[in-house]
């Protein structure tokens, strides 16, 4: 059964939870603020995201998450050298990460019930 | 006195820079904007040789480090990403048959003419040579890069990727290795190359690093080794900007949310 949430950003997260991209971005940004380049490399190394981390997909999602108020971005500049747009989690972003954990837990529970039933019927 | 803003940029950024200038002109109606485009290395060398500009936007962040930092630019903003594609037109030979599986065979067939930009003048040329090296490794075809090099010589090598794209659209070339944003600018068709060779994705940095190209350095007899890396565009206000405040406002426009939409509309991936 599909649940409709009041907040559009939660609906978006719930609809795309299987791909694990938004939870993964929220997870890494909760640990440390990062720029897109670094996030792409981290996602590629992580073994829990179903989406191929191509730059177009990642930057589009980051922009959407910023529009939804889950993250904020600012240019990370020193006095000299290169500057990159850096992303940081907001309090709504932390709440969204907790929401993702809840959704994933529910899914894991259901999958475990399925596996148990399958196992017991096979005996 | 009329205020002036001088912008020097990589040819690949022609479309977005023109659009930014147009938008900026609406905001500062008395401002006179001068825009000039060359290969990125040529742009940087011109500034090094004393050319006065307020804004410089290049297709390679390493050129800022190699030529412009710290004498001519204090800091630069890395604002977009792109990839190398194989562009062609409706009148290119074998255009109806070419695809991601057979593009190499088609390029190497005797009747087909393809081009690229010059690695000394333009990072796109250098990146094309890196793509060929990576393709040899990826497809496990020994000698591939030399075959491609020997077929693409003399008048098939252009000062900038923009010129190579123009040659495709005018029928002098069947195919050219150019940036995706340039292919979009000319409305060309294109083959997307595998991510492991198209220099688009930071996730494949280690793979890209396996390729390198030697280009003539800034001093006579100096050789620079350029290693494979994701394609990124960067912009800066120069240290000798005559109109620093206006230049900063232009930079802010490029880096703004509105700027992101313009860049995306021009086929780039904005940061």
């Amino acid at each position: 059964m599909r649940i409709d949430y009041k907040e559009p950003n939660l609906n978006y997260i719930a609809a795309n939870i299987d791909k694990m991209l938004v939870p993964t971005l929220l997870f890494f940004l909760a640990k440390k603020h990062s720029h897109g380049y670094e996030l792409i490399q981290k996602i590629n190394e992580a073994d829990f995201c179903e989406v191929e981390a191509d730059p177009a997909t990642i930057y589009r999602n980051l922009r959407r998450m910023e529009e939804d108020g889950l993250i904020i971005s600012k240019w990370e500049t020193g006095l000299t050298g290169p500057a990159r747009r850096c992303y940081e989690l907001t309090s709504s972003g932390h709440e969204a990460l907790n929401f993702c954990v809840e959704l994933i837990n529910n899914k894991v529970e259901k999958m475990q019930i399925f596996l148990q039933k399958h196992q017991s019927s096979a005996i | 006195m009329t205020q002036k803003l001088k912008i020097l940029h990589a040819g690949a950024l022609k479309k977005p820079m023109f659009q930014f200038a147009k938008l900026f002109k609406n905001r500062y109606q008395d401002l006179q904007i001068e825009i000039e485009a060359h290969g990125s290395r040529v742009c940087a060398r011109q500034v090094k040789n004393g050319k006065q500009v307020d804004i410089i936007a290049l297709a390679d962040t390493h050129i800022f480090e190699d030529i412009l930092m710290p004498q001519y630019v204090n800091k630069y903003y890395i604002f977009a990403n792109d990839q190398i594609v194989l562009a062609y037109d409706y009148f290119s030979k074998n255009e109806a048959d070419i695809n991601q599986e057979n593009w190499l065979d088609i390029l190497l067939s005797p009747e087909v003419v393809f081009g690229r930009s010059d690695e000394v003048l333009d990072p796109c040329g250098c990146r094309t040579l890196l793509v060929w090296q990576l393709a040899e490794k990826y497809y496990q075809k020994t000698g591939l890069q030399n075959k491609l090099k020997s077929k693409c010589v003399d008048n098939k090598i252009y000062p900038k990727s923009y010129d190579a794209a123009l040659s495709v659209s005018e029928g002098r070339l069947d195919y050219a290795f150019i940036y995706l944003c340039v292919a979009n600018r000319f409305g060309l068709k294109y083959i997307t190359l595998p991510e492991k060779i198209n220099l688009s994705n930071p996730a494949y940095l280690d793979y890209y690093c396996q390729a390198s190209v030697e280009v003539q350095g800034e001093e006579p007899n100096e050789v620079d080794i350029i290693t494979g890396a994701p394609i990124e565009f960067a912009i800066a206000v120069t240290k000798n900007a005559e109109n620093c405040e206006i230049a900063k406002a232009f930079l802010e426009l490029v880096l703004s949310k509105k700027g992101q939409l313009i860049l995306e509309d021009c086929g780039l991936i904005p940061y």
Side-chain angles (χ1 to χ4, degrees):
Chain A
M1 189 179 70
R2 204 193 126 149
I3 302 167
D4 274 327
Y5 299 92
K6 275 183 191 167
E7 298 87 341
N9 58 1
L10 297 188
N11 264 328
Y12 177 76
I13 291 172
N16 293 283
I17 195 76
D18 289 352
K19 294 176 189 160
M20 287 293 288
L21 180 57
V22 176
T24 306
L25 287 167
L26 291 169
F27 170 76
F28 283 126
L29 288 171
K31 284 174 169 271
K32 180 181 162 272
H33 56 251
S34 303
H35 45 74
Y37 190 104
E38 195 178 20
L39 286 166
I40 292 169
Q41 289 179 322
K42 280 182 179 172
I43 289 169
N44 197 52
E45 284 160 16
D47 46 13
F48 47 77
C49 185
E50 295 284 312
V51 172
E52 200 166 314
D54 70 278
T57 306
I58 301 301
Y59 284 105
R60 256 187 224 129
N61 271 276
L62 286 169
R63 251 186 298 157
R64 188 192 168 106
M65 287 163 69
E66 191 167 16
E67 281 163 19
D68 288 344
L70 307 182
I71 56 173
I72 49 167
S73 75
K74 54 186 172 205
W75 284 88
E76 194 180 58
T77 58
L79 283 176
T80 60
R84 286 183 183 274
R85 191 186 290 276
C86 199
Y87 298 89
E88 191 176 326
L89 221 58
T90 61
S91 55
S92 301
H94 282 284
E95 283 167 21
L97 179 57
N98 291 337
F99 174 72
C100 290
V101 171
E102 210 176 297
L103 286 177
I104 293 165
N105 267 330
N106 286 341
K107 277 198 175 286
V108 169
E109 271 171 32
K110 281 180 185 158
M111 284 173 178
Q112 272 171 347
I113 293 170
F114 170 83
L115 288 174
Q116 279 165 8
K117 293 213 168 182
H118 173 70
Q119 221 168 4
S120 58
S121 68
I123 295 168
Chain B
M1 202 176 79
T2 313
Q3 286 194 309
K4 254 188 202 175
L5 179 71
K6 294 182 188 169
I7 302 165
L8 184 61
H9 67 81
L13 291 168
K14 211 169 215 170
K15 188 178 177 191
M17 284 299 145
F18 179 76
Q19 291 201 16
F20 285 127
K22 212 167 132 187
L23 200 64
F24 205 60
K25 183 88 179 144
N26 288 340
R27 202 184 293 175
Y28 298 89
Q29 292 188 352
D30 296 331
L31 184 70
Q32 194 184 326
I33 303 179
E34 286 179 11
I35 313 185
E36 205 178 319
H38 301 281
S40 290
R41 279 196 177 267
V42 176
C43 291
R45 283 182 193 133
Q46 286 188 354
V47 170
K48 188 184 172 186
N49 294 332
K51 187 181 182 78
Q52 191 278 316
V53 295
D54 301 290
I55 290 279
I56 183 160
L58 305 179
D60 189 345
T61 57
H62 295 105
I63 295 176
F64 278 97
E65 296 293 339
D66 293 347
I67 305 178
L68 297 171
M69 295 279 290
Q71 292 94 331
Y72 311 98
V73 161
N74 258 338
K75 57 184 164 191
Y76 55 94
Y77 294 78
I78 304 173
F79 67 94
N81 167 273
D82 205 351
Q83 61 181 280
I84 298 284
V85 296
L86 179 63
Y88 60 104
D89 208 352
Y90 289 96
F91 305 106
S92 301
K93 290 185 191 83
N94 300 316
E95 69 86 27
D97 303 320
I98 195 162
N99 58 41
Q100 284 182 316
E101 275 70 51
N102 66 10
W103 63 275
L104 279 167
D105 299 327
I106 287 191
L107 285 189
L108 292 172
S109 60
E111 73 279 10
V112 167
V113 181
F114 64 93
R116 64 173 174 95
S117 58
D118 187 331
E119 72 273 22
V120 179
L121 305 174
D122 183 28
C124 189
C126 198
R127 285 164 173 156
T128 300
L129 297 178
L130 291 167
V131 165
W132 293 356
Q133 265 184 51
L134 292 169
E136 179 169 318
K137 196 175 284 289
Y138 182 81
Y139 293 108
Q140 298 178 328
K141 291 193 173 189
T142 310
L144 174 66
Q145 55 169 321
N146 285 336
K147 281 183 194 165
L148 291 165
K149 269 187 196 169
S150 60
K151 249 203 110 181
C152 181
V153 289
D154 306 327
N155 63 350
K156 292 164 202 103
I157 300 176
Y158 293 80
K160 51 188 190 293
S161 58
Y162 200 87
D163 304 321
L166 186 67
S167 270
V168 173
S169 69
E170 292 178 349
R172 287 188 294 278
L173 291 176
D174 294 311
Y175 297 89
F177 289 87
I178 57 176
Y179 297 123
L180 173 58
C181 68
V182 177
N184 281 333
R185 159 72 184 82
F186 282 85
L188 296 174
K189 296 171 84 175
Y190 57 84
I191 297 287
T192 308
L193 306 176
E195 275 202 327
K196 273 195 165 176
I197 69 172
N198 71 6
L199 302 176
S200 71
N201 195 334
Y204 295 119
L205 177 63
D206 290 344
Y207 195 84
Y208 298 157
C209 278
Q210 298 175 83
S212 65
V213 170
E214 287 186 359
V215 294
Q216 185 192 311
E218 288 315 298
E219 306 302 328
N221 304 322
E222 190 186 76
V223 173
D224 282 344
I225 297 170
I226 311 289
T227 310
I231 297 166
E232 294 188 299
F233 293 80
I235 187 166
V237 173
T238 61
K239 273 179 149 177
N240 69 353
E242 282 180 354
N243 210 335
C244 211
E245 288 313 305
I246 296 275
K248 278 182 187 164
F250 185 84
L251 178 76
E252 276 168 21
L253 171 66
V254 175
L255 304 179
S256 69
K257 299 289 167 200
K258 173 86 185 160
Q260 287 182 320
L261 295 177
I262 291 174
L263 291 167
E264 190 165 42
D265 192 45
C266 294
L268 286 153
I269 297 169
Y271 285 179

